[in-house]
PDB file of all heavy atoms in Angstrom:
ATOM      1  N   ILE A 306      33.349  67.780 105.030  1.00  0.00           N
ATOM      2  CA  ILE A 306      34.495  68.113 104.146  1.00  0.00           C
ATOM      3  C   ILE A 306      34.805  69.583 104.174  1.00  0.00           C
ATOM      4  O   ILE A 306      33.884  70.402 104.076  1.00  0.00           O
ATOM      5  CB  ILE A 306      34.220  67.714 102.674  1.00  0.00           C
ATOM      6  CG1 ILE A 306      33.946  66.176 102.581  1.00  0.00           C
ATOM      7  CG2 ILE A 306      35.394  68.015 101.775  1.00  0.00           C
ATOM      8  CD1 ILE A 306      35.053  65.286 103.075  1.00  0.00           C
ATOM      9  N   ASP A 307      36.046  70.011 104.333  1.00  0.00           N
ATOM     10  CA  ASP A 307      36.418  71.394 104.234  1.00  0.00           C
ATOM     11  C   ASP A 307      37.641  71.584 103.325  1.00  0.00           C
ATOM     12  O   ASP A 307      38.157  70.571 102.848  1.00  0.00           O
ATOM     13  CB  ASP A 307      36.664  71.959 105.648  1.00  0.00           C
ATOM     14  CG  ASP A 307      37.950  71.405 106.227  1.00  0.00           C
ATOM     15  OD1 ASP A 307      37.910  70.210 106.693  1.00  0.00           O
ATOM     16  OD2 ASP A 307      38.912  72.147 106.225  1.00  0.00           O
ATOM     17  N   ILE A 308      38.086  72.722 103.112  1.00  0.00           N
ATOM     18  CA  ILE A 308      39.159  72.948 102.174  1.00  0.00           C
ATOM     19  C   ILE A 308      40.426  72.245 102.571  1.00  0.00           C
ATOM     20  O   ILE A 308      41.277  72.042 101.766  1.00  0.00           O
ATOM     21  CB  ILE A 308      39.426  74.446 102.013  1.00  0.00           C
ATOM     22  CG1 ILE A 308      39.840  75.048 103.387  1.00  0.00           C
ATOM     23  CG2 ILE A 308      38.222  75.149 101.454  1.00  0.00           C
ATOM     24  CD1 ILE A 308      40.446  76.486 103.236  1.00  0.00           C
ATOM     25  N   LEU A 309      40.595  71.912 103.839  1.00  0.00           N
ATOM     26  CA  LEU A 309      41.843  71.224 104.297  1.00  0.00           C
ATOM     27  C   LEU A 309      41.909  69.781 103.834  1.00  0.00           C
ATOM     28  O   LEU A 309      42.941  69.202 103.935  1.00  0.00           O
ATOM     29  CB  LEU A 309      41.927  71.322 105.784  1.00  0.00           C
ATOM     30  CG  LEU A 309      41.982  72.820 106.360  1.00  0.00           C
ATOM     31  CD1 LEU A 309      42.027  72.730 107.842  1.00  0.00           C
ATOM     32  CD2 LEU A 309      43.233  73.504 105.809  1.00  0.00           C
ATOM     33  N   ASP A 310      40.752  69.221 103.432  1.00  0.00           N
ATOM     34  CA  ASP A 310      40.799  67.845 102.942  1.00  0.00           C
ATOM     35  C   ASP A 310      41.031  67.730 101.444  1.00  0.00           C
ATOM     36  O   ASP A 310      40.812  66.691 100.838  1.00  0.00           O
ATOM     37  CB  ASP A 310      39.404  67.216 103.280  1.00  0.00           C
ATOM     38  CG  ASP A 310      39.162  67.159 104.771  1.00  0.00           C
ATOM     39  OD1 ASP A 310      40.170  66.958 105.487  1.00  0.00           O
ATOM     40  OD2 ASP A 310      38.012  67.245 105.198  1.00  0.00           O
ATOM     41  N   ALA A 311      41.461  68.805 100.851  1.00  0.00           N
ATOM     42  CA  ALA A 311      41.710  68.841  99.419  1.00  0.00           C
ATOM     43  C   ALA A 311      42.990  68.058  99.103  1.00  0.00           C
ATOM     44  O   ALA A 311      43.715  67.644  99.979  1.00  0.00           O
ATOM     45  CB  ALA A 311      41.748  70.254  98.965  1.00  0.00           C
ATOM     46  N   THR A 312      43.229  67.951  97.827  1.00  0.00           N
ATOM     47  CA  THR A 312      44.475  67.279  97.381  1.00  0.00           C
ATOM     48  C   THR A 312      45.694  68.092  97.687  1.00  0.00           C
ATOM     49  O   THR A 312      45.578  69.278  98.032  1.00  0.00           O
ATOM     50  CB  THR A 312      44.437  66.990  95.879  1.00  0.00           C
ATOM     51  OG1 THR A 312      44.419  68.229  95.217  1.00  0.00           O
ATOM     52  CG2 THR A 312      43.199  66.167  95.515  1.00  0.00           C
ATOM     53  N   ALA A 313      46.871  67.461  97.571  1.00  0.00           N
ATOM     54  CA  ALA A 313      48.127  68.175  97.884  1.00  0.00           C
ATOM     55  C   ALA A 313      48.258  69.450  97.081  1.00  0.00           C
ATOM     56  O   ALA A 313      48.796  70.508  97.614  1.00  0.00           O
ATOM     57  CB  ALA A 313      49.320  67.269  97.692  1.00  0.00           C
ATOM     58  N   ASP A 314      47.858  69.383  95.839  1.00  0.00           N
ATOM     59  CA  ASP A 314      48.043  70.550  95.009  1.00  0.00           C
ATOM     60  C   ASP A 314      47.139  71.713  95.432  1.00  0.00           C
ATOM     61  O   ASP A 314      47.423  72.892  95.226  1.00  0.00           O
ATOM     62  CB  ASP A 314      47.727  70.229  93.538  1.00  0.00           C
ATOM     63  CG  ASP A 314      48.792  69.283  92.930  1.00  0.00           C
ATOM     64  OD1 ASP A 314      49.951  69.308  93.456  1.00  0.00           O
ATOM     65  OD2 ASP A 314      48.505  68.539  92.003  1.00  0.00           O
ATOM     66  N   GLU A 315      45.983  71.387  96.011  1.00  0.00           N
ATOM     67  CA  GLU A 315      44.991  72.383  96.400  1.00  0.00           C
ATOM     68  C   GLU A 315      45.094  72.923  97.850  1.00  0.00           C
ATOM     69  O   GLU A 315      44.563  73.878  98.195  1.00  0.00           O
ATOM     70  CB  GLU A 315      43.567  71.858  96.144  1.00  0.00           C
ATOM     71  CG  GLU A 315      43.236  71.568  94.695  1.00  0.00           C
ATOM     72  CD  GLU A 315      41.972  70.769  94.521  1.00  0.00           C
ATOM     73  OE1 GLU A 315      41.733  69.848  95.299  1.00  0.00           O
ATOM     74  OE2 GLU A 315      41.179  71.167  93.664  1.00  0.00           O
ATOM     75  N   ALA A 316      45.887  72.152  98.662  1.00  0.00           N
ATOM     76  CA  ALA A 316      45.964  72.527 100.047  1.00  0.00           C
ATOM     77  C   ALA A 316      47.424  72.558 100.536  1.00  0.00           C
ATOM     78  O   ALA A 316      47.913  71.657 101.102  1.00  0.00           O
ATOM     79  CB  ALA A 316      45.140  71.541 100.914  1.00  0.00           C
ATOM     80  N   PRO A 317      48.095  73.679 100.289  1.00  0.00           N
ATOM     81  CA  PRO A 317      49.481  73.853 100.730  1.00  0.00           C
ATOM     82  C   PRO A 317      49.674  73.731 102.223  1.00  0.00           C
ATOM     83  O   PRO A 317      50.729  73.330 102.700  1.00  0.00           O
ATOM     84  CB  PRO A 317      49.880  75.270 100.262  1.00  0.00           C
ATOM     85  CG  PRO A 317      48.927  75.579  99.180  1.00  0.00           C
ATOM     86  CD  PRO A 317      47.603  74.931  99.500  1.00  0.00           C
ATOM     87  N   VAL A 318      48.577  74.007 102.980  1.00  0.00           N
ATOM     88  CA  VAL A 318      48.659  73.912 104.411  1.00  0.00           C
ATOM     89  C   VAL A 318      48.926  72.501 104.925  1.00  0.00           C
ATOM     90  O   VAL A 318      49.614  72.278 105.884  1.00  0.00           O
ATOM     91  CB  VAL A 318      47.414  74.528 105.100  1.00  0.00           C
ATOM     92  CG1 VAL A 318      46.165  73.635 104.845  1.00  0.00           C
ATOM     93  CG2 VAL A 318      47.564  74.649 106.636  1.00  0.00           C
ATOM     94  N   ILE A 319      48.469  71.536 104.134  1.00  0.00           N
ATOM     95  CA  ILE A 319      48.682  70.104 104.530  1.00  0.00           C
ATOM     96  C   ILE A 319      50.141  69.829 104.408  1.00  0.00           C
ATOM     97  O   ILE A 319      50.783  69.240 105.245  1.00  0.00           O
ATOM     98  CB  ILE A 319      47.836  69.210 103.635  1.00  0.00           C
ATOM     99  CG1 ILE A 319      46.381  69.351 103.836  1.00  0.00           C
ATOM    100  CG2 ILE A 319      48.268  67.748 103.866  1.00  0.00           C
ATOM    101  CD1 ILE A 319      45.496  68.570 102.928  1.00  0.00           C
TER     102      ILE A 319
END
Side-chain angles (χ1 to χ4, degrees):
I306 302 298
D307 68 285
I308 60 167
L309 299 177
D310 296 327
T312 64
D314 291 335
E315 296 170 316
V318 67
I319 295 176

